[in-house]
Each structure stands twice: as structure tokens, then as C-alpha cells.
Amino acid sequence: MSQVKTDKSTKSIETTKQVYPMVKAYYAEANKVAQDHSKKICYVTGAGLVDIAWVYEDVLPIFPENFNAACAAKQITPALLDIAEGAGYARDLCGYFRNYTGYYLGGKDLDLSFPGGGLPIPDFLMGDSSTCNFHLKWWRETERLMEYKVPCYLLEVPYIPPRMDYDALESHYLDYTVKQIKGLLEFIGKVTGKKLDEDRLREVVRLSSEASELFEETQQLRKAVPSPMGSEDALSVLMPLVQWCGTQQAVDFYRNLRDEVKARVDKGIGVLPGEEKLRILFDNIPPWFSLGIFNYLQKFDAVSVIETYTTYFHYSRGKLDPDKPYESLARKYLYNCWFMTSVREKVENLFTRYAQDYKVDGIISYALYGCKIATGFLPYQAKYMQEKLGIPSLILEGDMVDPRDYADGPVKNRVDAFMEMLLEKKNKG
Amino acid sequence: MLDTIAQLSKSYSRWPDQSEAVKQWQDKGKKVFGYMCNHIPEELLFAGGILPVKFLGDSIPIVDANQYHALFMCYFARTVVEMGLQKGFSKLDGLIGVYSCEGGCNIFQIAAEIVKPPYYQFISIPHDNKREKQEMALEYFTKELNVIKTSLEEYLGEELTAAKIEQAINVYNENRQLLRQVYDARGDKEWPGFTGVEVAEIMNWVVEVPKDEANAKLRGLLAETAARKLPAASGPRIHVSGTLFLDNEIFQLIEDLGGMVVSDDLCMGSRYFWDDIKLPAEKTADKLIEAIARYKLDKVPCSCMCSSYVAEDRLEHIKKLIEKYQVNGVIFAVHKWCDSHQMDRPFMIRQLQEAGLPVLSIEVERNIGDAQGRNRIESFLEMIGGDAHVAG
């Protein structure tokens, strides 16, 4: 079995330390539920849709994508990836998909330390396409994998084309998403045998909104100089939003996080002990097996101050209205992830605004060969940012969970050169 | 190759700026739009007097385009950006795109940002559109097509009337029927009317020229080949599965090595024309556009679709063709970096093998890779049996 040496990260934020125990306890519960069948286990994929699962008290949502990221953090993915590829799945497919497929095609029987003891078998599947359509194909492949015995409902969030302004969605985009949300709730009702509780739905929307608002507040606080929280923490504290958005647990977590980050900003405490010389925007899904790369930047007095990935799982445009639960959720799913928005809107508005608001000196994009929607336009984006804003980009290439093609030494060499160039540029003013 | 088909080849170019068909159309004062994916409603463009030309890509080196897109995109799509940078689309009046696959979605938009055509539209198509989602997906996609209709009317300064749309649908439906006849002629086991290479070339040509003119030529071609006596192929009869190719190399290789391509489920093959648009009883513009939308959602699915049983539905289509054209073996020729097709491939291969079909899977990048591809195809054909060449 291949063993790949990469760096684990070290954190600055106390609240981050709560994440791992939460995840561990959650998986323990999930495996208990898988045994006693006290709840229906559903696999959720996409970005944001998990809140719908929390409307039903006897449903336990599991996010296999997180399982894959956790496998990568534990550096146990190579054996699982090998199995999937041996079954004919191309090496350049999404790493999450390959790792999960390898787990089910025999990997689960290997003597590996799986996060939470492994994935419990689902009773049903639900997913959305707000990050990519590949998620939907992944769930269709899961239907086959489970021999068509596990029912599935997919919510396809329409891609927002270049003709449409982010602030003026055409009504059929909203209508189509609302209809599917209703269809999904009806589907869960059928699977669980429970009637939809509209009050509970409104409550979940309220909680989803509150967690989103607290997280967005934290994101705004990160504009401060020096940066109070770097990517090595931000990417880890995303988990409760991914898994528990729509619950009080997520709200409590993000309140703690917001308070801690606010206190750091008020006191002027930054990630670095000394001067913060460079501010970096990290773009795309990170290499989960090597989050230490963010700490490595600190060698150059640089902090990765903001990420694109942390914008994708919450509603960042104000409050969701619990009295219009369907429309509110539709807006959340339509707006949350930039991948499903035109290249023009993504690059010229969303990305540009982020780079400017967070006063970044440089951009590191992680181009994922298994993720065409997130990666295809990155050189275009880098060119645009250099030519229009004078902000240089470094594009690293790899996969989010597959360390086999990740060459730590050459990656660091490239980072070294990029950082030196940024420092020189900054010194020249 | 039949002289008539060789002549057809001269009327178009993979580079729209060099295409005779494009020039002739524009000389009449009419517009030409480029598109990349079969999910575009060509009928609406044709109803407005616009010639839709499909991007075929080309077997060219990528020189400048790598600065605009990741290398992890299929080579076909990357050549589209390269052609855009090399002014290959400079004579086009418009570009019309659709989010079908994820690579194509990004690449097409980048090409459009480079070319900056006078007209540009991009639409979304529902990928999960069958069974419980069918009606809501149809309603949504019909509205997307109406966005195209309205914007075309604004651009052209004239209404796309029901009569014009119906006429365009009829022309396109006739084209589909004629192409099915071409396929039937090729698939005739005793007296094949066309070789696989010839049909590949017909397909390249037919997406680059006006369909009414194409129909007249196809009728003549079918009459000509009815009297043709091609020797029956005694070598393996092959079905090719995939998307499209940057040249006809794979068809030529298979046939040079003694096999014959008798069937396919390519974007640039049967999936382009296999089904007809069903005309509604009420011939209003709204109903006709809904009929186009229904056709696009109901047709043999591309692997980029995500409906339940989508790979199973595609497999059904392949199995029907295998039976109809008495196929001996299947070659999956899938582009490297094509997530959609790579994702469905293992399942489809397993199913075909379980049904007793020999299957070869090869990866295409710029092309098949002459020596290596040749060896693998040769071994595959030998394994199936037969050594006769297809004359033509």
C-alpha cells in the first residue's frame, strides 16, 4: 500500500478544536442508528441541502463527502482509490467519488482506521447540484451500487447563465427550484412515513439562516488586518455548516466561533505572531490530506486570509425568511455556490470582489483534475486577475483526496517562488 | 470513398471561417451561429433563417489556449478555445451555448469571452428530467427555449412565427429520417450502402450545412447507393460508443484492419438524430417550442444527464442498435477528461459483457494514438474473429 507523506495543519482558533469531537460523536451515533434502525439514514451530497433533512426528526443525514475528506486527512485514501480504479473508474474522475466507490467495492473490509468507524448503509439518498452535476451522477451510480434498493431524490439547482445578474434571477429559476424542494419534502415524507410539519420547516429555515448569518459575520470579520483566522482553521470549521446547518448545534457552534474571532479582531490578534506581510486568497477545494500547506505559508509571514470554498455552504446575502420557507431555501441553494454561476459572474464580480475586499496580495488556486466545473476556467481567471487587478495567481494541480499525484517538494518549491515574487512586488510598492 | 461524399466534404470546414457553406449562406445576407452541443435548439435558429454550425474541433496542437483553460478538459473542447483564439470563429454572427457537461460549460463560455460575437446566449438544461421530474423539467426548459426565441426575435428584428418554427421542425425531422436511412443502408449485412468512414464523413458534413440543402443531397446519395454493390464485410461488425472525434481516424483504423463500423451512439452519430420531434396537435409557437423542449429531454441521453436510469436508458439504445445492425463487438472510445462518459463506462461495459458482447475500451486524447491504438484495435478484431476488409 502506498504511503504518502504530507503535512497536517496546526490551528489558531480554539473553537476549531470542537469540530473533531462533534464529528466523532456524530459518526458513533450514526453507526448506532445503523444497528438499531431508530432513524432513517440518508446520504446527502451537494452544498446546503442538508437543512431539509433536519426537518424530519427521525432522519439522520450523513455526508459521505465529509467522510472522504476525513479519510484524506487521515491519509488512508490511496488503498481505496486503487480499488475504484481497478474496477474501471478513470483516475481523473472526482476524488471524492473514487474514494467512496473504493470503500464500497471492498475497501471497507480493509484494516484501516476509517473516520467514525466507517459509513453506515443509507436508507435513502438525497442530493443537490449546487456545487456540480457530478454529484447527481455519483448518486445515480450509488443507486446501482445499492442494487436499486435505496430510493433517491435529486434537487437540480439550475446553472445561472451569463445573461442573468446575480441580483435579478428570472422567475422560472426560482419556481423550478421551489418545485423540487417540495418534491424532495414529499419524497422524504413517503420514505419516513411522516407528514411534513410546516412549523418545523420554518424553524429549520430560521436556524439555517442564523447559522449562515453567524458564519457570514465571521467571514466579514476576517477582512481585518491582521487576519484573525487563516484557512487552516476556516476550512475545518466549515464542517458544522455542511453537516448540521438547520440545527441549534450549528447555531451554537458558529456563535462561539464568531465571538472568538471577534475578540481576536478587537484585540488585534492575528494568525501570525509578528507582522503580516502577505495576504493570500485560497481558491477551490483544498488538498485535505495536506492542510499543513497553509501553515507553510507562514514561513513567508503570509496568511491565507479567505477562501472561495468557505463561501459555498451558507447563504451570505442576509436573512432567510422563515415565513417563505420554500423560496428562502431555493434562494440559498441557487446562490450559495459559485461553481454553478457563469464564468463571467464568477470571475468579474464574485471573485474580484473577494480579492479586493480581503485586500489580498496573491491568489493560490488549487486546480482539481477530477473537478471540471471548478477547474476549467482557472487559467482564464488567473489571467483576468493579473490583467485587470494586477493580482498574481499560482495554480497548483492535484486532487482533494488523492495524494498519489501530489508532490510535496515541488509544490513547496512553487509556493516558495510565488511568495518570494509577491514579497518583492510588495516591497517595490 | 464515394465521389459524391468526397464532394460534400469540400463544402464545409472544421474551421467555420473557411467553410464554403458558411460563406454561401452569409452571401445571401443571412446569419450563421456556432454551437457546441446537441442540446441547442437548432430548429429555432433555422426558423429565423440562421445557419447553425456545430463545433467539430480539429486535430490541431494547442498553442495559446492553455493560458485560458485547465489542461484537465477534453481535447475537443480545448481545440474550441484554440480555434477561437486563432480567429476560426471570426465570421460567426453568434454563439449559443448550453450547460450540458461541466467541461464544455466552462470552455464554451471562455471561447465566447474571447470571440465576443454580436449575439451570445447561454442556457441551462435540466439534467435530471425523467419520471417524477419530467413535467417540471419540461416547463423549466420550455421557458429557457422561449428566452432564446425572444432574444433571437430582438436580434433579427422579426417574429419567429409558428409557421416558421413548424417548417424548421419538419426540415429537421426529415433530416433525421434520412440519416436513419443512411444508417440502415450502412448496417445492411448483405449489401452495405456505405462504409463506416463514409458515414462518419456524412455526419461531419451534415451538421455544418443548411438542413434543407442537406436533405436534397441525402436523398440523391441514398438513391445512388441503392444501386451500389459494396462487398459485404466478413470481418467483425463494430459499434462505437463515445462523443465525437477530431478526425475520422478511428473509423479508418477499424475498417483498414478488417472490421466495419456499423453502428454507434456518438454525439456526432445516432444520438444526433435518432428520435423525431413529435409535432403537437395545436401548432402554436408555444406548443411547438414545448415540443422541441420535450424532444431534447426525451431523446437518447448523453452521459452528462443525471436522470434516474440514465446509463440504463443509453444502454437500451445501444442494445437495440446492436440487435438491429447485428453487431459483433463494441468499442468505447471516450475522451480523456470526459467525466460524464467515464463515469457511465464501467457500468455499461459490465452490462454489455454480461450480455456476451466483446468490449474494448480506449482512451482518446488528441486522437487514438496511431501505433498503440492500432495494436489494440487489431488485437480486438482478431479476438472477435474475421479478417476481411471492407472495400470502398
mmCIF file of all heavy atoms in Angstrom, chain B residues 29-31 44-50 148-162 164-165:
data_model
loop_
_atom_site.group_PDB
_atom_site.id
_atom_site.type_symbol
_atom_site.label_atom_id
_atom_site.label_comp_id
_atom_site.label_asym_id
_atom_site.label_seq_id
_atom_site.Cartn_x
_atom_site.Cartn_y
_atom_site.Cartn_z
ATOM 1 N N GLY B 29 -26.907 37.240 -47.281
ATOM 2 C CA GLY B 29 -27.315 38.221 -46.269
ATOM 3 C C GLY B 29 -27.853 37.582 -45.007
ATOM 4 O O GLY B 29 -28.513 38.246 -44.196
ATOM 5 N N LYS B 30 -27.596 36.289 -44.826
ATOM 6 C CA LYS B 30 -28.135 35.593 -43.647
ATOM 7 C C LYS B 30 -27.051 35.361 -42.600
ATOM 8 O O LYS B 30 -25.862 35.437 -42.884
ATOM 9 C CB LYS B 30 -28.747 34.270 -44.077
ATOM 10 C CG LYS B 30 -29.943 34.412 -45.016
ATOM 11 C CD LYS B 30 -30.517 33.035 -45.222
ATOM 12 C CE LYS B 30 -31.550 32.989 -46.308
ATOM 13 N NZ LYS B 30 -32.018 31.615 -46.516
ATOM 14 N N LYS B 31 -27.506 35.027 -41.395
ATOM 15 C CA LYS B 31 -26.605 34.898 -40.250
ATOM 16 C C LYS B 31 -26.188 33.443 -40.022
ATOM 17 O O LYS B 31 -26.936 32.513 -40.330
ATOM 18 C CB LYS B 31 -27.284 35.402 -38.967
ATOM 19 C CG LYS B 31 -27.862 36.804 -39.083
ATOM 20 C CD LYS B 31 -26.775 37.852 -39.192
ATOM 21 C CE LYS B 31 -27.371 39.255 -39.167
ATOM 22 N NZ LYS B 31 -26.357 40.277 -39.499
ATOM 23 N N LEU B 44 -34.963 26.371 -33.784
ATOM 24 C CA LEU B 44 -35.348 27.774 -33.566
ATOM 25 C C LEU B 44 -34.457 28.715 -34.374
ATOM 26 O O LEU B 44 -34.914 29.717 -34.912
ATOM 27 C CB LEU B 44 -35.243 28.131 -32.085
ATOM 28 C CG LEU B 44 -36.417 27.731 -31.184
ATOM 29 C CD1 LEU B 44 -36.186 28.256 -29.781
ATOM 30 C CD2 LEU B 44 -37.730 28.261 -31.743
ATOM 31 N N LEU B 45 -33.166 28.382 -34.433
ATOM 32 C CA LEU B 45 -32.257 29.216 -35.228
ATOM 33 C C LEU B 45 -32.645 29.149 -36.701
ATOM 34 O O LEU B 45 -32.745 30.171 -37.387
ATOM 35 C CB LEU B 45 -30.807 28.740 -35.059
ATOM 36 C CG LEU B 45 -30.247 28.636 -33.647
ATOM 37 C CD1 LEU B 45 -28.762 28.265 -33.678
ATOM 38 C CD2 LEU B 45 -30.408 29.930 -32.897
ATOM 39 N N PHE B 46 -32.885 27.928 -37.154
ATOM 40 C CA PHE B 46 -33.206 27.731 -38.581
ATOM 41 C C PHE B 46 -34.517 28.449 -38.935
ATOM 42 O O PHE B 46 -34.661 28.983 -40.031
ATOM 43 C CB PHE B 46 -33.294 26.230 -38.876
ATOM 44 C CG PHE B 46 -33.134 25.903 -40.333
ATOM 45 C CD1 PHE B 46 -31.911 26.077 -40.978
ATOM 46 C CD2 PHE B 46 -34.208 25.433 -41.078
ATOM 47 C CE1 PHE B 46 -31.759 25.780 -42.329
ATOM 48 C CE2 PHE B 46 -34.071 25.132 -42.428
ATOM 49 C CZ PHE B 46 -32.847 25.311 -43.041
ATOM 50 N N ALA B 47 -35.437 28.459 -37.970
ATOM 51 C CA ALA B 47 -36.711 29.150 -38.194
ATOM 52 C C ALA B 47 -36.480 30.648 -38.413
ATOM 53 O O ALA B 47 -37.254 31.312 -39.112
ATOM 54 C CB ALA B 47 -37.644 28.933 -37.003
ATOM 55 N N GLY B 48 -35.410 31.167 -37.840
ATOM 56 C CA GLY B 48 -35.083 32.583 -38.019
ATOM 57 C C GLY B 48 -34.132 32.818 -39.184
ATOM 58 O O GLY B 48 -33.559 33.905 -39.298
ATOM 59 N N GLY B 49 -33.934 31.822 -40.004
ATOM 60 C CA GLY B 49 -33.054 31.970 -41.168
ATOM 61 C C GLY B 49 -31.585 31.934 -40.806
ATOM 62 O O GLY B 49 -30.722 32.378 -41.575
ATOM 63 N N ILE B 50 -31.280 31.433 -39.603
ATOM 64 C CA ILE B 50 -29.881 31.354 -39.144
ATOM 65 C C ILE B 50 -29.349 29.951 -39.408
ATOM 66 O O ILE B 50 -30.031 28.963 -39.112
ATOM 67 C CB ILE B 50 -29.795 31.674 -37.636
ATOM 68 C CG1 ILE B 50 -30.244 33.116 -37.383
ATOM 69 C CG2 ILE B 50 -28.393 31.442 -37.101
ATOM 70 C CD1 ILE B 50 -30.563 33.427 -35.935
ATOM 71 N N ILE B 148 -34.491 32.018 -25.581
ATOM 72 C CA ILE B 148 -33.772 32.027 -26.864
ATOM 73 C C ILE B 148 -34.646 32.653 -27.955
ATOM 74 O O ILE B 148 -34.191 33.510 -28.716
ATOM 75 C CB ILE B 148 -33.395 30.576 -27.286
ATOM 76 C CG1 ILE B 148 -32.426 29.954 -26.276
ATOM 77 C CG2 ILE B 148 -32.817 30.536 -28.693
ATOM 78 C CD1 ILE B 148 -31.017 30.444 -26.361
ATOM 79 N N LYS B 149 -35.898 32.221 -27.993
ATOM 80 C CA LYS B 149 -36.798 32.731 -29.044
ATOM 81 C C LYS B 149 -36.878 34.257 -28.963
ATOM 82 O O LYS B 149 -36.708 34.955 -29.966
ATOM 83 C CB LYS B 149 -38.191 32.115 -28.875
ATOM 84 C CG LYS B 149 -39.231 32.686 -29.824
ATOM 85 C CD LYS B 149 -40.587 31.998 -29.643
ATOM 86 C CE LYS B 149 -41.654 32.590 -30.542
ATOM 87 N NZ LYS B 149 -42.316 33.779 -29.997
ATOM 88 N N THR B 150 -37.137 34.763 -27.769
ATOM 89 C CA THR B 150 -37.292 36.209 -27.606
ATOM 90 C C THR B 150 -36.020 36.944 -27.992
ATOM 91 O O THR B 150 -36.055 37.968 -28.678
ATOM 92 C CB THR B 150 -37.660 36.528 -26.129
ATOM 93 O OG1 THR B 150 -38.807 35.761 -25.793
ATOM 94 C CG2 THR B 150 -37.948 37.998 -25.934
ATOM 95 N N SER B 151 -34.886 36.407 -27.559
ATOM 96 C CA SER B 151 -33.642 37.122 -27.862
ATOM 97 C C SER B 151 -33.322 37.062 -29.354
ATOM 98 O O SER B 151 -32.777 38.009 -29.919
ATOM 99 C CB SER B 151 -32.486 36.587 -27.008
ATOM 100 O OG SER B 151 -32.073 35.338 -27.472
ATOM 101 N N LEU B 152 -33.678 35.951 -29.999
ATOM 102 C CA LEU B 152 -33.472 35.877 -31.457
ATOM 103 C C LEU B 152 -34.371 36.887 -32.176
ATOM 104 O O LEU B 152 -33.941 37.543 -33.131
ATOM 105 C CB LEU B 152 -33.789 34.462 -31.969
ATOM 106 C CG LEU B 152 -32.759 33.370 -31.663
ATOM 107 C CD1 LEU B 152 -33.269 32.010 -32.129
ATOM 108 C CD2 LEU B 152 -31.417 33.685 -32.333
ATOM 109 N N GLU B 153 -35.611 36.994 -31.708
ATOM 110 C CA GLU B 153 -36.534 37.950 -32.342
ATOM 111 C C GLU B 153 -36.006 39.378 -32.211
ATOM 112 O O GLU B 153 -36.072 40.162 -33.153
ATOM 113 C CB GLU B 153 -37.922 37.816 -31.713
ATOM 114 C CG GLU B 153 -38.627 36.547 -32.172
ATOM 115 C CD GLU B 153 -39.944 36.265 -31.455
ATOM 116 O OE1 GLU B 153 -40.119 36.763 -30.308
ATOM 117 O OE2 GLU B 153 -40.773 35.551 -32.008
ATOM 118 N N GLU B 154 -35.450 39.673 -31.034
ATOM 119 C CA GLU B 154 -34.872 41.015 -30.844
ATOM 120 C C GLU B 154 -33.676 41.210 -31.769
ATOM 121 O O GLU B 154 -33.514 42.255 -32.397
ATOM 122 C CB GLU B 154 -34.423 41.195 -29.384
ATOM 123 C CG GLU B 154 -35.577 41.486 -28.448
ATOM 124 C CD GLU B 154 -35.174 41.391 -26.983
ATOM 125 O OE1 GLU B 154 -33.960 41.342 -26.700
ATOM 126 O OE2 GLU B 154 -36.078 41.350 -26.131
ATOM 127 N N TYR B 155 -32.861 40.188 -31.860
ATOM 128 C CA TYR B 155 -31.647 40.280 -32.682
ATOM 129 C C TYR B 155 -31.993 40.404 -34.171
ATOM 130 O O TYR B 155 -31.422 41.210 -34.895
ATOM 131 C CB TYR B 155 -30.771 39.044 -32.437
ATOM 132 C CG TYR B 155 -29.577 38.928 -33.345
ATOM 133 C CD1 TYR B 155 -28.465 39.745 -33.161
ATOM 134 C CD2 TYR B 155 -29.564 38.005 -34.385
ATOM 135 C CE1 TYR B 155 -27.366 39.645 -34.001
ATOM 136 C CE2 TYR B 155 -28.475 37.901 -35.224
ATOM 137 C CZ TYR B 155 -27.374 38.724 -35.038
ATOM 138 O OH TYR B 155 -26.287 38.625 -35.879
ATOM 139 N N LEU B 156 -32.960 39.607 -34.600
ATOM 140 C CA LEU B 156 -33.302 39.584 -36.023
ATOM 141 C C LEU B 156 -34.273 40.693 -36.416
ATOM 142 O O LEU B 156 -34.392 41.037 -37.591
ATOM 143 C CB LEU B 156 -33.935 38.230 -36.390
ATOM 144 C CG LEU B 156 -33.031 37.001 -36.260
ATOM 145 C CD1 LEU B 156 -33.858 35.715 -36.309
ATOM 146 C CD2 LEU B 156 -31.959 36.987 -37.344
ATOM 147 N N GLY B 157 -34.973 41.213 -35.432
ATOM 148 C CA GLY B 157 -35.976 42.231 -35.723
ATOM 149 C C GLY B 157 -37.194 41.661 -36.414
ATOM 150 O O GLY B 157 -37.872 42.353 -37.175
ATOM 151 N N GLU B 158 -37.467 40.394 -36.190
ATOM 152 C CA GLU B 158 -38.665 39.782 -36.781
ATOM 153 C C GLU B 158 -39.183 38.663 -35.879
ATOM 154 O O GLU B 158 -38.429 38.097 -35.078
ATOM 155 C CB GLU B 158 -38.360 39.217 -38.172
ATOM 156 C CG GLU B 158 -37.310 38.121 -38.173
ATOM 157 C CD GLU B 158 -36.996 37.611 -39.573
ATOM 158 O OE1 GLU B 158 -36.601 38.430 -40.418
ATOM 159 O OE2 GLU B 158 -37.150 36.390 -39.797
ATOM 160 N N GLU B 159 -40.465 38.397 -36.029
ATOM 161 C CA GLU B 159 -41.094 37.391 -35.179
ATOM 162 C C GLU B 159 -40.764 35.982 -35.683
ATOM 163 O O GLU B 159 -40.733 35.746 -36.902
ATOM 164 C CB GLU B 159 -42.617 37.602 -35.208
ATOM 165 C CG GLU B 159 -43.346 36.746 -34.199
ATOM 166 C CD GLU B 159 -44.878 36.844 -34.365
ATOM 167 O OE1 GLU B 159 -45.333 37.704 -35.142
ATOM 168 O OE2 GLU B 159 -45.571 36.038 -33.737
ATOM 169 N N LEU B 160 -40.527 35.074 -34.742
ATOM 170 C CA LEU B 160 -40.412 33.652 -35.110
ATOM 171 C C LEU B 160 -41.827 33.075 -35.008
ATOM 172 O O LEU B 160 -42.257 32.656 -33.935
ATOM 173 C CB LEU B 160 -39.453 32.919 -34.186
ATOM 174 C CG LEU B 160 -37.985 33.321 -34.229
ATOM 175 C CD1 LEU B 160 -37.133 32.389 -33.379
ATOM 176 C CD2 LEU B 160 -37.452 33.312 -35.651
ATOM 177 N N THR B 161 -42.511 33.094 -36.111
ATOM 178 C CA THR B 161 -43.914 32.676 -36.101
ATOM 179 C C THR B 161 -44.034 31.158 -35.976
ATOM 180 O O THR B 161 -43.071 30.423 -36.241
ATOM 181 C CB THR B 161 -44.609 33.104 -37.410
ATOM 182 O OG1 THR B 161 -43.925 32.441 -38.481
ATOM 183 C CG2 THR B 161 -44.560 34.606 -37.605
ATOM 184 N N ALA B 162 -45.234 30.729 -35.614
ATOM 185 C CA ALA B 162 -45.495 29.286 -35.517
ATOM 186 C C ALA B 162 -45.203 28.607 -36.859
ATOM 187 O O ALA B 162 -44.636 27.511 -36.911
ATOM 188 C CB ALA B 162 -46.932 29.052 -35.087
ATOM 189 N N LYS B 164 -43.067 29.423 -39.172
ATOM 190 C CA LYS B 164 -41.621 29.280 -39.413
ATOM 191 C C LYS B 164 -41.035 28.156 -38.545
ATOM 192 O O LYS B 164 -40.175 27.392 -38.996
ATOM 193 C CB LYS B 164 -40.901 30.596 -39.074
ATOM 194 C CG LYS B 164 -41.143 31.715 -40.070
ATOM 195 C CD LYS B 164 -40.450 32.986 -39.582
ATOM 196 C CE LYS B 164 -40.748 34.164 -40.493
ATOM 197 N NZ LYS B 164 -40.287 35.447 -39.910
ATOM 198 N N ILE B 165 -41.500 28.093 -37.305
ATOM 199 C CA ILE B 165 -40.949 27.056 -36.403
ATOM 200 C C ILE B 165 -41.384 25.668 -36.884
ATOM 201 O O ILE B 165 -40.583 24.727 -36.929
ATOM 202 C CB ILE B 165 -41.406 27.304 -34.943
ATOM 203 C CG1 ILE B 165 -40.894 28.663 -34.448
ATOM 204 C CG2 ILE B 165 -40.910 26.194 -34.016
ATOM 205 C CD1 ILE B 165 -41.484 29.124 -33.125
#
